[in-house]
């Protein structure tokens, strides 16, 4: 921890996160964790209520120790932003004044562009209870606010930092839709593999009396082909499906085809019951 000192030769491109009079050490720790999640490491504190360093902050940081160790302490907002060329002030409510208001996506892109140009930037976050004062907002260049539910607009300070940190990380991706990892690359199988699956399925269904009435079989097969061609199955996926069908083929039906249909089972049960009744009367 360094109090009110800034190394002019240390100019990381990332924006600085500045917490104004944070109250709870746990909140500071959760802020550090959120920053570390998305590649931010420069945290500044303006007059934290419970002092600094803070053991509760370190515990809540969940191993974001590099952020905690690099945290700087300042006595005023003016001192905390003195070396920065552009600062956003976060707020959940409308303010009087003439400052431009941005959403987090646009704000993060602006910060990224300024960082690329070699400018040092920062984001001001206010107190847990009432945010930033009008005077503190006036020290910033522009305002950033979040599109939240107007009936419940209050954000936990760590949540607000998380949102801006996420947008900062996203603004630096080749594509903003990129993720840390992706699913397997699936190459659709050749059509002859799919036709073999359809043929296999047709045989399995035919042996089990699926195509009823018989004159509707062509249309039913068309429907099956439509269902099976839509997903773009890979060859490996088709092998899985054919393995399932093959396992069913190992068990030959012991009953006549179609005997398992509900209406036939009902007739068979009725006939069996009648037979037992007759047998009982003959024993008498």
């Amino acid at each position: 921890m360094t109090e009110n000192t800034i190394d002019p030769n240390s100019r990381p491109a990332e924006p600085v996160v500045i917490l104004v009079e944070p109250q709870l050490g746990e909140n500071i720790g959760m802020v550090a964790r959120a920053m570390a999640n998305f590649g931010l490491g420069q945290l500044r504190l303006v007059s934290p209520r419970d002092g600094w360093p803070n053991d509760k902050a370190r515990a809540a940081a969940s191993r974001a120790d590099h952020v905690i160790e690099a945290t700087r302490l300042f006595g005023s907002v003016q001192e905390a932003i003195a070396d920065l060329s552009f600062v956003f002030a976060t707020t959940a409510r409308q303010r009087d004044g003439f400052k431009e208001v941005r959403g987090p996506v646009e704000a993060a892109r602006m910060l990224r562009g300024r960082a690329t140009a070699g400018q040092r930037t920062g984001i001001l976050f206010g107190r847990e209870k009432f945010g930033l004062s009008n005077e503190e907002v006036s020290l910033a260049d522009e305002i950033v606010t979040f599109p939240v539910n107007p009936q419940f607009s209050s954000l936990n300070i760590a949540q607000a930092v998380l949102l801006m940190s996420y947008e900062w990380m996203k603004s630096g991706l080749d594509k903003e839709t990129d993720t840390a990892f992706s699913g397997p690359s699936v190459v659709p199988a050749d059509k002859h593999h799919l036709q073999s699956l359809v043929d296999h399925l047709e045989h399995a269904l035919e042996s089990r009396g699926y195509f009823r009435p018989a004159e509707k079989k062509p249309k039913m097969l068309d429907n099956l082909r439509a269902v099976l061609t839509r997903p773009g199955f890979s060859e490996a996926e088709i092998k899985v499906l054919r393995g399932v069908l093959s396992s069913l083929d190992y068990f030959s039906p012991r009953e006549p085809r179609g005997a398992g249909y509900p209406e036939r089972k009902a007739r068979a049960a009725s006939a069996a019951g009648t037979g037992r009744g007759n047998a009982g009367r003959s024993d008498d």
Side-chain angles (χ1 to χ4, degrees):
M1 181 272 297
T2 304
E3 184 169 355
N4 196 24
T5 58
I6 300 170
D7 180 1
N9 297 317
S10 175
R11 294 184 175 272
E14 69 194 48
V16 174
V17 172
I18 306 156
L19 306 185
V20 180
E21 297 183 2
Q23 295 178 331
L24 299 176
E26 293 90 339
N27 284 343
I28 299 173
M30 287 187 288
V31 164
R33 180 177 182 178
M35 292 171 59
N37 283 149
F38 297 103
L40 295 180
Q42 300 296 311
L43 176 61
R44 298 180 182 181
L45 306 178
V46 177
S47 302
R49 185 189 68 180
D50 295 339
W52 192 261
N54 188 297
D55 291 338
K56 291 182 178 179
R58 185 177 294 276
S62 188
R63 298 191 301 278
D65 294 333
H66 62 290
V67 179
I68 296 296
E69 292 295 339
T71 297
R72 298 177 184 272
L73 188 63
F74 295 85
S76 69
V77 174
Q78 290 92 330
E79 293 171 351
I81 66 173
D83 66 322
L84 306 180
S85 61
F86 185 88
V87 176
F88 271 116
T90 61
T91 180
R93 64 184 187 274
Q94 188 170 356
R95 306 285 185 140
D96 295 330
F98 305 95
K99 295 190 182 299
E100 194 73 42
V101 178
R102 312 282 184 181
V105 175
E106 185 182 13
R109 291 172 180 171
M110 289 179 60
L111 291 171
R112 180 70 63 176
R114 289 178 176 275
T116 302
Q119 299 179 26
R120 284 180 62 79
T121 62
I123 313 170
L124 282 172
F125 295 88
R127 303 154 188 82
E128 290 93 330
K129 287 188 176 181
F130 57 89
L132 295 169
S133 68
N134 288 334
E135 179 183 354
E136 289 159 350
V137 172
S138 72
L139 296 173
D141 297 277
E142 295 189 10
I143 289 172
V144 59
T145 191
F146 306 102
V148 295
N149 178 1
Q151 277 73 49
F152 197 77
S153 61
S154 176
L155 282 177
N156 175 279
I157 189 172
Q159 293 173 326
V161 172
L162 179 70
L163 286 172
M164 284 305 302
S165 301
Y166 168 69
E167 293 299 341
W168 163 260
M169 170 68 81
K170 195 171 68 172
S171 71
L173 300 175
D174 291 335
K175 293 189 302 181
E176 290 192 350
T177 56
D178 284 348
T179 55
F181 59 91
S182 60
S185 178
V186 177
V187 178
D190 294 341
K191 294 302 182 185
H192 72 90
H193 291 295
L194 187 60
Q195 186 56 49
S196 294
L197 171 62
V198 173
D199 293 343
H200 192 164
L201 184 58
E202 178 185 0
H203 176 76
L205 293 175
E206 184 73 56
S207 67
R208 289 161 176 81
Y210 174 78
F211 298 108
R212 299 181 304 133
E215 61 270 18
K216 290 190 176 181
K217 178 179 177 180
K219 179 59 176 176
M220 297 172 78
L221 279 174
D222 286 344
N223 290 340
L224 283 172
R225 289 191 190 95
V227 169
L228 293 172
T229 53
R230 185 167 55 184
F233 290 125
S234 68
E235 185 175 344
E237 290 169 329
I238 288 177
K239 287 181 179 180
V240 170
L241 294 174
R242 294 200 64 179
V244 172
L245 293 174
S246 295
S247 70
L248 297 176
D249 289 338
Y250 293 143
F251 299 93
S252 299
R254 297 179 180 178
E255 298 177 321
R257 187 176 66 190
Y261 291 123
E263 65 272 22
R264 296 192 181 183
K265 280 190 172 184
R267 288 198 296 269
S270 177
T274 302
R276 286 194 296 272
N278 291 336
R281 284 192 297 272
S282 65
D283 287 341
D284 292 339

